[in-house]
Amino acid sequence: MIETRITRALGIRHPVFQGGMAWAGTARLAAAVSEAGGLGIIGAGAMPPDLLRREIQKVRSLTPKPFGVNLYYLSPFFSGVLEVILEERVPVVTTGAGNPGKEIERFKKAGTRVFPVVSSVALAKRLERIGVDGLIAEGMEAGGHIGEIGTIALVPEVAEAVAIPVLAAGGIADGRGLAAALSLGAEGVQLGTRFLCSRECEAHENYKEAVLKARDRSTVVTGTSTGHPVRVIENRLAKKFLELERGGAGKDELEKLGEDSLRKAVCEGDTDWGSLMAGQSSGLIREIKSCQEIIESIVAEAENILRKLPENIV
Ligand code: TUI
């Protein structure tokens, strides 16, 4: 057992969050992760509010354990999604691509714990001051929207700068990553790509196969020219995107190319023209496992490493 302030505060068995992946983070996946003792998270992405409400109710029908919703700040349904999260009194909210400064008081009144994702020390400090419950320090090894600092430097810098608990994310897929995160001062980890390749994840089999096939250099970062970097597995869409960016294409043209591409990949299995968001940990993921196997093997491996660590030093 690895107990930290995170497991105690949230009443979960293992300090492992599932990343809130748009389209792939469905109620079925979130419930499976929570049932296995982690914190399952519904990826609200660009979900309409009524669908999110049904997904929340579905998680509750599948498990009595705590779960979360990832609130994506660029959603066209942002305000409706926020109201549903508050009305449903969701236990935990994580955030993506924005900061919850304006909403924090309403979350507190609803009894919702807030764990924003941060990719810098400055934002981490600002959010601690406004009263968030913890932070997810996400390095640029992560999939999807990313910042610019690597996990191994970002996590200790954030952990040192704040007193609230910090989880590490980005490039972590196994017990070695969890042990490393704890060594860096984190009190848990968030895994996206690893849970994408779980039996319970409803992403298309083609997407999962693409992650299993991926190696260390299989992902690229698109969108640096527009200030919205996104890590994806390289495919025809990513190559086209990078080619347009190198040619100085404008934001509108790039946005048009990317439109609907994540849904095409996750729901239709379009591995050529879909956006295969995935982290650099793809190279570590070799097989589909159940959420329970993923969590139990990560915790057991980390415990083993931490127990044996002194033997590495001669
Ligand atoms: O959110 C993510 N990664 C994501 S969200 C997503 S959903 C999507 N759907 C369709 C098309 C495109 C994307 C895919 N990947 N990671 C968390 C994260 N948040 N990383 C960085 C940030 C972030 C960025 C800017 C947090 C705060 C911020 O600015 C806040 C401020 O006000 O300074």
Side-chain angles (χ1 to χ4, degrees):
M1 288 279 286
I2 297 175
E3 265 186 64
T4 68
R5 285 186 292 172
I6 305 277
T7 56
R8 293 211 184 126
L10 302 182
I12 56 178
R13 197 169 159 81
H14 306 296
V16 179
F17 282 23
Q18 167 232 317
M21 300 170 284
W23 298 103
T26 61
R28 179 167 176 240
L29 176 61
V33 172
S34 288
E35 201 42 37
L39 189 80
I41 294 179
I42 300 168
M47 224 185 245
D50 56 335
L51 177 56
L52 176 62
R53 196 187 300 278
R54 288 201 295 276
E55 289 289 286
I56 291 168
Q57 289 165 354
K58 186 170 171 188
V59 173
R60 289 196 159 118
S61 75
L62 294 170
T63 179
K65 301 198 168 146
F67 65 97
V69 171
N70 177 261
L71 176 58
Y72 177 54
Y73 272 72
L74 303 178
S75 166
F77 302 108
F78 179 84
S79 52
V81 162
L82 173 65
E83 293 311 316
V84 169
I85 291 171
L86 294 165
E87 282 165 24
E88 292 289 333
R89 298 189 174 270
V90 170
V92 178
V93 160
T94 63
T95 60
N99 94 68
K102 288 206 200 92
E103 296 78 31
I104 188 79
E105 285 311 319
R106 298 187 71 197
F107 284 132
K108 280 190 178 295
K109 274 203 194 99
T112 296
R113 313 287 180 95
V114 187
F115 283 74
V117 176
V118 299
S119 43
S120 72
V121 172
L123 183 57
K125 284 181 166 172
R126 192 145 42 98
L127 292 171
E128 179 182 47
R129 275 200 298 275
I130 65 164
V132 303
D133 298 277
L135 294 164
I136 303 166
E138 187 187 81
M140 49 87 81
E141 295 92 325
H145 278 284
I146 52 171
E148 289 174 342
I149 308 172
T151 304
I152 205 155
L154 180 68
V155 172
E157 289 183 47
V158 170
E160 199 174 273
V162 299
I164 52 177
V166 173
L167 289 104
I172 303 171
D174 55 30
R176 293 169 294 186
L178 172 55
L182 295 168
S183 305
L184 297 172
E187 294 181 53
V189 289
Q190 171 168 281
L191 315 173
T193 312
R194 178 60 271 192
F195 284 118
L196 184 96
C197 289
S198 68
R199 203 174 300 146
E200 294 90 344
C201 176
E202 294 171 283
H204 199 284
E205 291 305 314
N206 296 353
Y207 199 138
K208 295 185 185 180
E209 278 299 319
V211 177
L212 296 181
K213 270 208 318 235
R215 295 288 168 259
D216 55 345
R217 301 179 67 229
S218 300
T219 68
V220 293
V221 179
T222 63
T224 43
S225 70
T226 61
H228 291 288
V230 172
R231 183 177 301 283
V232 293
I233 293 173
E234 188 172 48
N235 64 0
R236 293 182 75 180
L237 174 67
K239 284 189 178 130
K240 179 87 190 160
F241 206 101
L242 292 173
E243 189 185 304
L244 286 176
E245 281 194 277
R246 275 194 292 268
K251 211 172 163 183
D252 290 352
E253 190 182 356
L254 293 169
E255 263 173 22
K256 194 151 180 281
L257 184 64
E259 208 175 74
D260 203 32
S261 60
L262 183 59
R263 191 195 58 79
K264 273 189 223 154
V266 178
C267 304
E268 293 174 8
D270 184 347
T271 52
D272 287 330
W273 294 103
S275 172
L276 296 171
M277 291 186 188
Q280 289 183 325
S281 69
S282 295
L284 292 168
I285 299 166
R286 310 261 152 69
E287 56 180 354
I288 307 287
K289 294 188 197 177
S290 72
C291 291
Q292 189 176 342
E293 283 174 292
I294 291 171
I295 293 179
E296 284 179 0
S297 65
I298 284 175
V299 171
E301 191 187 10
E303 283 175 333
N304 231 355
I305 290 169
L306 294 170
R307 211 177 15 247
K308 289 186 174 165
L309 212 48
E311 293 171 21
N312 286 350
I313 302 159
V314 289

